[in-house]
mmCIF file of all heavy atoms in Angstrom:
data_model
loop_
_atom_site.group_PDB
_atom_site.id
_atom_site.type_symbol
_atom_site.label_atom_id
_atom_site.label_comp_id
_atom_site.label_asym_id
_atom_site.label_seq_id
_atom_site.Cartn_x
_atom_site.Cartn_y
_atom_site.Cartn_z
ATOM 1 N N CYS A 146 199.820 61.259 140.481
ATOM 2 C CA CYS A 146 200.619 60.215 139.831
ATOM 3 C C CYS A 146 200.134 58.851 140.316
ATOM 4 O O CYS A 146 199.465 58.735 141.340
ATOM 5 C CB CYS A 146 202.095 60.406 140.153
ATOM 6 S SG CYS A 146 202.726 62.006 139.624
ATOM 7 N N ASP A 147 200.479 57.824 139.558
ATOM 8 C CA ASP A 147 199.957 56.490 139.826
ATOM 9 C C ASP A 147 201.097 55.564 140.249
ATOM 10 O O ASP A 147 201.972 55.249 139.435
ATOM 11 C CB ASP A 147 199.281 55.977 138.548
ATOM 12 C CG ASP A 147 198.364 54.804 138.795
ATOM 13 O OD1 ASP A 147 198.268 54.352 139.951
ATOM 14 O OD2 ASP A 147 197.745 54.337 137.820
ATOM 15 N N ASP A 148 201.095 55.163 141.506
ATOM 16 C CA ASP A 148 202.099 54.229 142.037
ATOM 17 C C ASP A 148 203.494 54.858 142.144
ATOM 18 O O ASP A 148 204.500 54.142 142.157
ATOM 19 C CB ASP A 148 202.216 52.946 141.192
ATOM 20 C CG ASP A 148 200.978 52.066 141.232
ATOM 21 O OD1 ASP A 148 199.968 52.482 141.826
ATOM 22 O OD2 ASP A 148 201.033 50.957 140.668
ATOM 23 N N LEU A 149 203.562 56.148 142.236
ATOM 24 C CA LEU A 149 204.861 56.819 142.403
ATOM 25 C C LEU A 149 205.262 56.755 143.878
ATOM 26 O O LEU A 149 204.486 57.136 144.756
ATOM 27 C CB LEU A 149 204.740 58.286 141.971
ATOM 28 C CG LEU A 149 205.991 59.154 142.115
ATOM 29 C CD1 LEU A 149 207.008 58.795 141.035
ATOM 30 C CD2 LEU A 149 205.625 60.632 142.023
ATOM 31 N N ALA A 186 195.737 52.243 150.069
ATOM 32 C CA ALA A 186 197.021 51.804 149.515
ATOM 33 C C ALA A 186 196.890 51.344 148.066
ATOM 34 O O ALA A 186 197.851 50.832 147.499
ATOM 35 C CB ALA A 186 197.602 50.682 150.374
ATOM 36 N N VAL A 187 195.696 51.504 147.484
ATOM 37 C CA VAL A 187 195.491 51.180 146.064
ATOM 38 C C VAL A 187 194.642 52.258 145.384
ATOM 39 O O VAL A 187 194.102 53.155 146.034
ATOM 40 C CB VAL A 187 194.858 49.784 145.872
ATOM 41 C CG1 VAL A 187 195.891 48.681 146.088
ATOM 42 C CG2 VAL A 187 193.661 49.585 146.777
ATOM 43 N N CYS A 188 194.499 52.087 144.049
ATOM 44 C CA CYS A 188 194.031 53.176 143.180
ATOM 45 C C CYS A 188 192.609 53.685 143.437
ATOM 46 O O CYS A 188 192.406 54.843 143.790
ATOM 47 C CB CYS A 188 194.108 52.731 141.728
ATOM 48 S SG CYS A 188 195.726 52.198 141.183
ATOM 49 N N SER A 189 191.603 52.840 143.179
ATOM 50 C CA SER A 189 190.219 53.338 143.174
ATOM 51 C C SER A 189 189.820 54.003 144.482
ATOM 52 O O SER A 189 189.257 55.109 144.481
ATOM 53 C CB SER A 189 189.224 52.214 142.858
ATOM 54 O OG SER A 189 189.448 51.684 141.595
ATOM 55 N N ARG A 192 191.191 57.443 144.928
ATOM 56 C CA ARG A 192 190.553 58.418 144.036
ATOM 57 C C ARG A 192 189.177 58.821 144.562
ATOM 58 O O ARG A 192 188.780 59.980 144.496
ATOM 59 C CB ARG A 192 190.431 57.812 142.628
ATOM 60 C CG ARG A 192 191.746 57.823 141.912
ATOM 61 C CD ARG A 192 191.901 56.651 140.944
ATOM 62 N NE ARG A 192 193.326 56.326 140.876
ATOM 63 C CZ ARG A 192 194.181 56.920 140.041
ATOM 64 N NH1 ARG A 192 193.728 57.786 139.157
ATOM 65 N NH2 ARG A 192 195.463 56.635 140.073
ATOM 66 N N LYS A 242 193.312 58.988 134.077
ATOM 67 C CA LYS A 242 192.819 57.674 134.522
ATOM 68 C C LYS A 242 191.715 57.867 135.549
ATOM 69 O O LYS A 242 191.982 58.311 136.660
ATOM 70 C CB LYS A 242 194.006 56.906 135.121
ATOM 71 C CG LYS A 242 193.613 55.725 135.995
ATOM 72 C CD LYS A 242 194.832 55.028 136.570
ATOM 73 C CE LYS A 242 194.442 54.152 137.756
ATOM 74 N NZ LYS A 242 195.563 53.353 138.267
ATOM 75 N N SER A 295 192.934 51.678 135.173
ATOM 76 C CA SER A 295 194.386 51.569 135.016
ATOM 77 C C SER A 295 194.717 51.213 133.572
ATOM 78 O O SER A 295 193.917 50.606 132.861
ATOM 79 C CB SER A 295 194.938 50.486 135.945
ATOM 80 O OG SER A 295 194.710 50.831 137.281
ATOM 81 N N HIS A 379 202.680 53.706 136.811
ATOM 82 C CA HIS A 379 201.999 52.406 136.925
ATOM 83 C C HIS A 379 202.261 51.567 135.665
ATOM 84 O O HIS A 379 202.591 52.109 134.614
ATOM 85 C CB HIS A 379 200.503 52.715 137.075
ATOM 86 C CG HIS A 379 199.613 51.555 137.390
ATOM 87 N ND1 HIS A 379 199.310 50.571 136.482
ATOM 88 C CD2 HIS A 379 198.916 51.241 138.516
ATOM 89 C CE1 HIS A 379 198.472 49.691 137.033
ATOM 90 N NE2 HIS A 379 198.215 50.084 138.278
ATOM 91 N N SER A 430 200.708 61.275 144.867
ATOM 92 C CA SER A 430 200.600 59.924 144.312
ATOM 93 C C SER A 430 199.423 59.226 144.967
ATOM 94 O O SER A 430 199.083 59.514 146.113
ATOM 95 C CB SER A 430 201.895 59.145 144.573
ATOM 96 O OG SER A 430 201.803 57.834 144.027
ATOM 97 N N ASP A 431 198.799 58.297 144.230
ATOM 98 C CA ASP A 431 197.581 57.662 144.750
ATOM 99 C C ASP A 431 197.858 56.545 145.738
ATOM 100 O O ASP A 431 196.954 56.078 146.431
ATOM 101 C CB ASP A 431 196.706 57.148 143.599
ATOM 102 C CG ASP A 431 197.331 55.976 142.854
ATOM 103 O OD1 ASP A 431 198.566 55.820 142.890
ATOM 104 O OD2 ASP A 431 196.579 55.212 142.229
ATOM 105 N N ASN A 432 199.093 56.076 145.777
ATOM 106 C CA ASN A 432 199.511 55.064 146.757
ATOM 107 C C ASN A 432 201.029 54.962 146.647
ATOM 108 O O ASN A 432 201.648 55.660 145.839
ATOM 109 C CB ASN A 432 198.827 53.702 146.506
ATOM 110 C CG ASN A 432 198.883 53.219 145.073
ATOM 111 O OD1 ASN A 432 197.873 53.211 144.382
ATOM 112 N ND2 ASN A 432 200.062 52.857 144.605
ATOM 113 N N GLY A 433 201.601 54.049 147.423
ATOM 114 C CA GLY A 433 203.052 53.924 147.419
ATOM 115 C C GLY A 433 203.583 53.234 146.168
ATOM 116 O O GLY A 433 202.828 52.825 145.274
ATOM 117 N N LYS A 458 203.123 49.586 147.813
ATOM 118 C CA LYS A 458 201.730 49.642 147.366
ATOM 119 C C LYS A 458 200.931 48.459 147.914
ATOM 120 O O LYS A 458 201.441 47.341 147.968
ATOM 121 C CB LYS A 458 201.685 49.620 145.835
ATOM 122 C CG LYS A 458 200.270 49.528 145.263
ATOM 123 C CD LYS A 458 200.282 49.501 143.742
ATOM 124 C CE LYS A 458 198.851 49.368 143.206
ATOM 125 N NZ LYS A 458 198.792 49.392 141.738
HETATM 126 CA CA1 LIG B 993 197.889 53.411 141.974
#
Side-chain angles (χ1 to χ4, degrees):
C146 301
D147 197 358
D148 293 6
L149 178 74
V187 284
C188 303
S189 298
R192 284 149 210 273
K242 162 181 162 174
S295 297
H379 188 289
S430 180
D431 68 337
N432 49 251
K458 174 180 178 178

